[in-house]
Amino acid sequence: MSTETDIGIPAQGGPPSAQQRSSLGTAGARNLATTTKSEPQMQGISPRWLLRMLPWTQVSGGTYRVNRRLSYAVGRGRVSFVKTGAEVRVVPPTLREIPVLRGFEDEALLAELAARFAQRDFAPGEVLVEQGRPVDEVFLIAHGKVDKVGTGSYGDVTVLGVLADGDHVGDEALVQSDATWPYAVRSTTAGTLLALPWPAFQELADRSEALRDQILSHLADARQPQNRRGEAEIPMSAGHAGEFELPGAFVDYELKPREYELSIAQTVLRVHSRVADLYNQPMNQTEQQLKLTIEALRERQEHELINNREFGLLHNADYDQRIQTHSGPPTPDDMDELLSRRRGTRFFLAHPRAIAAFGRECNRRGLYSGSVEVEGRQVPTWRDVPIFSCNKLPITDGQTSSILALRTGEDKQGVIGLHQTGIPDEYQPGLSVRFMGIDEKAVISYLVSAYYSAAILVPDAIGVLENVDIARPRD
């Protein structure tokens, strides 16, 4: 069948031939045109508010020492667990997070002590202990959430605190044989705990001189005069008259202050010499490669500042500065409590999904959180404190995250970033790009290094709202 009509017009749907076009096609024209190009784009670039908002301190010697007043009160930590099927066991070395066992070195005895914890499951609303009963057990919360419930000033029932995964309660039994529960413990969710009876601990203490010495040392520190922060008291007199003999005083320091060494993030950038020589118009290939590499390195730097177990803010926040949400989602009440635990909070840091969850709670209550312009961007606020987004904050099981509240600056005894400037081949502050040579395959190599860390100068410089439920509820 012919593909043309009687008058020579191509049949409908057939492609026109080159002889039948009346102008140059776009496919041919592109061969002579210079296209307009964008610079290489990268999806992984985030605002990196933490790097931008932290004040950075020069660390010339590579190490920063945080000197503090001598403190007798040993902060609590979080114990860890291992789960095998339905069986839950405590990781023995993490028992040192219980104040009376802080610094205890006998690994074998810790393992034996861990084996004496018995597993118990609890249901929502279950009363685990009653107020006024003798403290005869230590509870480690492996999973779930419980409330410490007490009696208010006017006889009403009051929630004194919330405990969750890794928390422990009742360790008064380890140092006081006649202690009583000053509050009741009631579960708000289903979960699992590990319990250690007092006789099981006492039997180990009776046959271990090292454990007895550990208990005596802990009790001796607890009896020392100290302020409400646990720091060694400075004796003084006020309101006296006449020739009153004033007490002598001095400020004692920690003998082993914490030191922060600068951490490092590195990579080797490789560019073939032929690419660097011939394909540099209109953009310099080496510069574009380096720009994207540095962006990725800075993203990793912010991740480490939050999540590194040695110096990361999330892992180094003090136990007493960690609070649990009252109902799951981040409510205005939770944010108020987080804000009230420190003076001069500079900003909040939260995952974008946590910020959205907080916005939903404000909408539900008919509240407006407000906003402020920071570096040309609109940022949400609460009580006039900016809430910066940070996608480096982890999300657990796709449901829960954390919100940080930070006071910053050396002069405010807050959180500071640490870096060293003036290093060889410095490309940006604290970041160097060092030429490493050309190999036998004509590939040029550059060593890209960033040096950084972060320090929490006093415990209340940072607070954490934990187990923030970010899952969107069904309508």
Side-chain angles (χ1 to χ4, degrees):
M1 180 182 295
S2 174
T3 59
E4 294 185 352
T5 64
D6 293 339
I7 59 175
I9 300 176
Q12 188 173 7
S17 64
Q19 295 177 346
Q20 295 163 342
R21 286 198 301 264
S22 60
S23 64
L24 179 66
T26 57
R30 288 185 61 186
N31 293 329
L32 300 181
T34 299
T35 59
T36 302
K37 307 174 184 65
S38 74
E39 293 186 349
Q41 306 298 300
M42 179 177 175
Q43 295 186 63
I45 299 176
S46 67
R48 297 199 294 269
W49 283 112
L50 181 61
L51 298 188
R52 293 155 66 178
M53 301 308 296
L54 272 184
W56 291 88
T57 298
Q58 169 73 358
V59 181
S60 300
T63 302
Y64 185 88
R65 177 179 297 161
V66 178
N67 290 309
R68 292 178 179 172
R69 283 178 57 183
L70 177 64
S71 177
Y72 293 117
V74 179
R76 296 170 176 266
R78 295 290 173 87
V79 295
S80 300
F81 304 89
V82 59
K83 192 173 187 293
T84 307
E87 182 185 4
V88 178
R89 292 174 288 120
V90 62
V91 179
T94 66
L95 289 174
R96 296 189 180 99
E97 299 300 329
I98 300 175
V100 72
L101 297 176
R102 184 63 59 91
F104 189 61
E105 297 180 354
D106 193 332
E107 296 277 356
L109 200 64
L110 288 176
E112 187 174 351
L113 183 62
R116 299 192 176 202
F117 280 87
Q119 179 177 338
R120 297 181 193 170
D121 295 327
F122 54 84
E126 184 177 339
V127 177
L128 304 179
V129 295
E130 297 179 356
Q131 185 176 359
R133 293 285 302 274
V135 181
D136 54 5
E137 289 181 301
V138 177
F139 296 127
L140 310 179
I141 311 299
H143 179 67
K145 189 179 292 187
V146 301
D147 288 340
K148 297 193 295 184
V149 182
T151 303
S153 302
Y154 299 96
D156 54 330
V157 177
T158 304
V159 177
L160 304 176
V162 182
L163 304 175
D165 305 3
D167 289 334
H168 39 88
V169 65
D171 50 274
E172 298 90 343
L174 301 181
V175 293
Q176 300 179 30
S177 59
D178 57 349
T180 58
W181 288 100
Y183 45 76
V185 179
R186 182 179 62 197
S187 63
T188 57
T189 68
T192 302
L193 60 80
L194 299 182
L196 174 69
W198 164 250
F201 179 82
Q202 186 63 53
E203 191 274 330
L204 282 179
D206 290 341
R207 62 183 175 85
S208 171
E209 184 177 355
L211 185 54
R212 290 197 300 272
D213 292 342
Q214 177 76 16
I215 297 172
L216 292 175
S217 176
H218 176 75
L219 289 175
D221 284 348
R223 296 190 187 103
Q224 296 292 335
Q226 52 191 271
N227 61 21
R228 62 187 181 90
R229 298 289 188 180
E231 297 171 329
E233 190 68 77
I234 300 176
M236 59 184 62
S237 178
H240 51 272
E243 296 182 355
F244 186 83
E245 184 176 352
L246 298 178
F250 68 96
V251 181
D252 207 353
Y253 302 131
E254 287 185 352
L255 296 180
K256 296 181 179 179
R258 179 167 181 179
E259 294 184 346
Y260 293 86
E261 293 185 1
L262 292 183
S263 184
I264 187 172
Q266 286 182 310
T267 189
V268 176
L269 172 63
R270 294 186 173 92
V271 181
H272 200 285
S273 60
R274 181 169 60 247
V275 173
D277 292 342
L278 303 180
Y279 299 96
N280 277 333
Q281 294 297 330
M283 301 171 196
N284 186 293
Q285 291 282 359
T286 302
E287 287 185 0
Q288 295 299 322
Q289 288 279 306
L290 186 58
K291 183 185 75 171
L292 297 182
T293 300
I294 291 175
E295 291 284 357
L297 204 63
R298 291 301 193 191
E299 293 288 331
R300 181 57 181 268
Q301 176 181 347
E302 187 175 62
H303 178 276
E304 292 293 310
L305 288 175
I306 292 174
N307 297 288
N308 188 283
R309 300 198 68 87
E310 294 297 323
F311 59 85
L313 303 181
L314 200 58
H315 293 285
N316 285 268
D318 193 76
Y319 177 92
D320 292 333
Q321 297 298 324
R322 298 173 182 267
I323 62 175
Q324 304 294 324
T325 59
H326 290 85
S327 59
T331 65
D333 297 334
D334 295 324
M335 297 293 278
D336 281 341
E337 184 173 355
L338 183 61
L339 188 63
S340 67
R341 286 177 172 255
R342 67 203 38 78
R343 54 184 169 83
T345 300
R346 181 71 176 85
F347 59 87
F348 296 105
L349 201 66
H351 193 279
R353 291 181 60 187
I355 297 176
F358 177 63
R360 289 195 296 269
E361 292 302 309
C362 290
N363 294 339
R364 184 175 290 116
R365 301 186 182 201
L367 300 175
Y368 177 66
S369 62
S371 63
V372 66
E373 184 175 320
V374 180
E375 297 183 4
R377 304 187 186 186
Q378 288 296 319
V379 177
T381 64
W382 180 248
R383 306 295 189 194
D384 295 327
V385 178
I387 308 174
F388 293 118
S389 65
C390 179
N391 61 0
K392 313 304 186 305
L393 285 163
I395 295 178
T396 305
D397 299 327
Q399 295 182 349
T400 60
S401 185
S402 300
I403 297 178
L404 306 183
L406 291 86
R407 181 179 68 247
T408 60
E410 273 189 309
D411 57 333
K412 304 292 186 182
Q413 298 184 89
V415 180
I416 58 174
L418 307 175
H419 69 174
Q420 184 177 141
T421 59
I423 57 179
D425 300 309
E426 189 170 54
Y427 190 85
Q428 293 177 0
L431 185 146
S432 68
V433 178
R434 184 168 296 179
F435 175 69
M436 296 177 63
I438 306 176
D439 64 15
E440 64 278 2
K441 297 180 181 179
V443 175
I444 309 171
S445 297
Y446 299 90
L447 176 65
V448 187
S449 307
Y451 301 93
Y452 57 88
S453 188
I456 302 172
L457 299 187
V458 295
D460 74 344
I462 183 171
V464 185
L465 179 63
E466 297 186 311
N467 293 318
V468 173
D469 189 352
I470 61 175
R472 185 179 182 88
R474 297 183 63 181
D475 296 332

